[in-house]
Amino acid sequence: MKRRGFIKKATAATAGAFMAPYILPSGRLFAATGARVVDHVVFCLFAGGVRNLESVHKADGNLMPNTLVGNESISTDIASGVQSLGQVGTTRLQEMGTLYKEFRFAQGPTGHFSGHSSVMTGVYNLNDINIRQRPQTPTVFEYYRKHSDPAANALNAWWVSNALGPYPALNYSSHPEYGALYGANYIQPASIISNAGYQALGNPKTFTQNQNNLVGQMRGFFDNNFESQTIAGSAGISNAKSDIPEVQQFLLDSLQEAAGGQYENPWGLGGMSPDMFNIFFAEKVIQRFQPELLVVNMQDVDVCHGNFTSYANNLMRADYALAHLWQTIQSTAGMANNTIMIALPEHGRNLLPNTVIDPYGRYALDHTNDDMSREIFCLVVGPNGKVVQNQVISQVQGQSIDVVPTIAKILGFYDDVSGFLPGQPLNAALA
């Protein structure tokens, strides 16, 4: 049997390795847990590089009408290139929480992976980053799973990204005291959940016990003869044995629904952009598992390197998707009124343009460490009484590395990790 075919069948049949219950390295069977603000956090990286000028300062009109209060008209020169998608609900997200208009990505290279890594680890990377390596400091998933209740298994932690490249590396770090044992379930749905994915993975073979034993022997053989391993701690995280059928069924259902055309236009907008599809699949995770911690990103606005007007149009789509995500949270039993959503770009974009001009006469923008590329916003949305409602903080306050301690405080384990984190919880947003 060829190795490729073996991996395909084995993966579909087992949907992950087994993991026994564990005793924490500290020697405690149960981690200390503080009081929670709510039981769920959804963290959305409104990413791709978004400039405050086009978002919260509305220099070209309100390009985020589902998020921001205001009906400012889109600039006439680009208006025909920006499609309004309408309102998801009657209330803007800004009104349901606290908006930090002058947040900062204060240190480190203003690159996408650097920004993602900093905000998901709570530590700035001040040196060049090797995108082929995992972060050296723990991710928010590892802090959550190690220092929260033992019930915080892998089904409660998900990382859904709209691109591959280095992003799978952010589901756990190389830190020797954390790592894969505490990582999140990771998926990049656009590369798997499709008709082509169904053709490859949608009809898995069900192994007998004897066949499973043979698979285990073959896995051991390959692990001993190839660089990549299938054991926890090297290749990826493991779900508990009892959770594996649920993960397998979720993936099979998703593949079958995709093959049946149910994912082509589920929001009735005429089609799904990559950002929308990624948010849509994160919503499927929410509806199936009600995770306590989910991180999802968007990146379509990064077309701004070559087309400013498309950037503005994709900003409008990202805004719609963010509001749709919140609407799904509020319509999901267990998460409605028990979830705080945090959204922010990983970094901004430059003040000065590059030399590329789009069909509407606008110059394109890169992100190369100038002051404006460090200016971002942060939105914290949640239930009244848990999050301060309809609050706008206009002075410079808060930075990227504050998100991890904020999540830790919301989910009740900040006292266990505060000594490891340079940032502070965003207390001004919490009621």
Side-chain angles (χ1 to χ4, degrees), residues 164 249 281 287-288 297 370 397:
L164 284 173
Q249 192 60 52
F281 195 80
Q287 292 164 335
R288 180 66 71 100
N297 74 341
D370 73 350
Q397 185 174 328

Side-chain angles (χ1 to χ4, degrees), residues 151-210:
N153 62 9
L155 290 186
N156 264 321
W158 286 79
W159 164 217
V160 184
S161 80
N162 76 340
L164 284 173
Y167 296 104
L170 293 174
N171 64 340
Y172 64 88
S173 71
S174 61
H175 194 287
E177 296 182 9
Y178 290 83
L181 186 62
Y182 307 104
N185 273 304
Y186 171 81
I187 189 166
Q188 197 267 327
S191 66
I192 299 174
I193 309 302
S194 62
N195 187 56
Y198 174 77
Q199 298 303 322
L201 301 168
N203 185 28
K205 176 179 174 59
T206 300
F207 290 157
T208 65
Q209 186 58 50
N210 184 54

Side-chain angles (χ1 to χ4, degrees), residues 114-159:
S114 172
H116 276 70
S117 177
S118 296
V119 77
M120 290 172 71
T121 62
V123 177
Y124 287 122
N125 295 285
L126 303 182
N127 302 312
D128 290 339
I129 292 178
N130 185 343
I131 61 174
R132 302 179 64 180
Q133 293 181 347
R134 296 186 178 278
Q136 295 180 8
T137 52
T139 64
V140 65
F141 306 115
E142 295 162 82
Y143 286 131
Y144 160 69
R145 291 195 59 203
K146 181 172 180 177
H147 298 286
S148 191
D149 188 276
N153 62 9
L155 290 186
N156 264 321
W158 286 79
W159 164 217

Side-chain angles (χ1 to χ4, degrees), residues 2-295:
K2 293 182 179 180
R3 178 176 171 78
R4 181 180 179 185
F6 164 75
I7 291 175
K8 182 175 72 173
K9 293 297 185 184
T11 301
T14 59
F18 297 163
M19 183 183 73
Y22 55 85
I23 297 175
L24 296 175
S26 64
R28 292 175 297 173
L29 180 59
F30 302 102
T33 303
R36 288 183 166 191
V37 179
V38 295
D39 292 318
H40 305 269
V41 173
V42 174
F43 173 27
C44 179
L45 275 149
F46 202 86
V50 177
R51 204 163 64 159
N52 270 8
L53 273 179
E54 287 77 39
S55 56
V56 293
H57 295 320
K58 306 175 188 173
D60 282 293
N62 191 354
L63 295 168
M64 300 170 60
N66 283 283
T67 303
L68 305 175
V69 174
N71 297 310
E72 295 86 348
S73 300
I74 306 303
S75 296
T76 54
D77 59 332
I78 65 170
S80 61
V82 177
Q83 179 189 10
S84 173
L85 300 178
Q87 297 295 137
V88 176
T90 57
T91 306
R92 307 315 201 259
L93 294 176
Q94 172 185 332
E95 298 175 275
M96 295 181 279
T98 293
L99 173 64
Y100 292 82
K101 293 181 72 173
E102 299 300 336
F103 220 63
R104 292 294 183 265
F105 175 64
Q107 301 178 45
T110 54
H112 301 298
F113 187 68
S114 172
H116 276 70
S117 177
S118 296
V119 77
M120 290 172 71
T121 62
V123 177
Y124 287 122
N125 295 285
L126 303 182
N127 302 312
D128 290 339
I129 292 178
N130 185 343
I131 61 174
R132 302 179 64 180
Q133 293 181 347
R134 296 186 178 278
Q136 295 180 8
T137 52
T139 64
V140 65
F141 306 115
E142 295 162 82
Y143 286 131
Y144 160 69
R145 291 195 59 203
K146 181 172 180 177
H147 298 286
S148 191
D149 188 276
N153 62 9
L155 290 186
N156 264 321
W158 286 79
W159 164 217
V160 184
S161 80
N162 76 340
L164 284 173
Y167 296 104
L170 293 174
N171 64 340
Y172 64 88
S173 71
S174 61
H175 194 287
E177 296 182 9
Y178 290 83
L181 186 62
Y182 307 104
N185 273 304
Y186 171 81
I187 189 166
Q188 197 267 327
S191 66
I192 299 174
I193 309 302
S194 62
N195 187 56
Y198 174 77
Q199 298 303 322
L201 301 168
N203 185 28
K205 176 179 174 59
T206 300
F207 290 157
T208 65
Q209 186 58 50
N210 184 54
Q211 288 172 321
N212 262 326
N213 293 338
L214 291 174
V215 167
Q217 294 176 23
M218 295 175 70
R219 179 184 290 120
F221 169 80
F222 286 123
D223 282 350
N224 291 328
N225 290 279
F226 291 87
E227 183 177 354
S228 295
Q229 304 291 294
T230 59
I231 58 174
S234 55
I237 72 152
S238 299
N239 284 281
K241 182 178 180 180
S242 59
D243 293 335
I244 289 175
E246 192 172 359
V247 175
Q248 178 177 334
Q249 192 60 52
F250 173 64
L251 295 175
L252 288 175
D253 290 346
S254 299
L255 288 167
Q256 290 169 358
E257 290 168 2
Q262 297 181 41
Y263 289 4
E264 294 176 2
N265 185 28
W267 292 352
L269 298 173
M272 300 290 280
S273 69
D275 276 352
M276 289 175 172
F277 183 73
N278 206 49
I279 294 293
F280 167 72
F281 195 80
E283 294 174 348
K284 303 292 286 187
V285 173
I286 286 172
Q287 292 164 335
R288 180 66 71 100
F289 298 106
Q290 297 86 50
E292 291 194 340
L293 175 61
L294 180 144
V295 180

Side-chain angles (χ1 to χ4, degrees), residues 343-377:
L344 77 164
E346 83 279 50
H347 56 67
R349 306 196 82 87
N350 291 347
L351 170 64
L352 300 177
N354 61 31
T355 58
V356 181
I357 305 175
D358 73 18
Y360 297 83
R362 290 296 192 97
Y363 282 93
L365 297 161
D366 301 319
H367 42 86
T368 55
N369 298 332
D370 73 350
D371 288 344
M372 188 162 286
S373 66
R374 299 192 178 283
E375 297 177 359
I376 56 177
F377 68 86

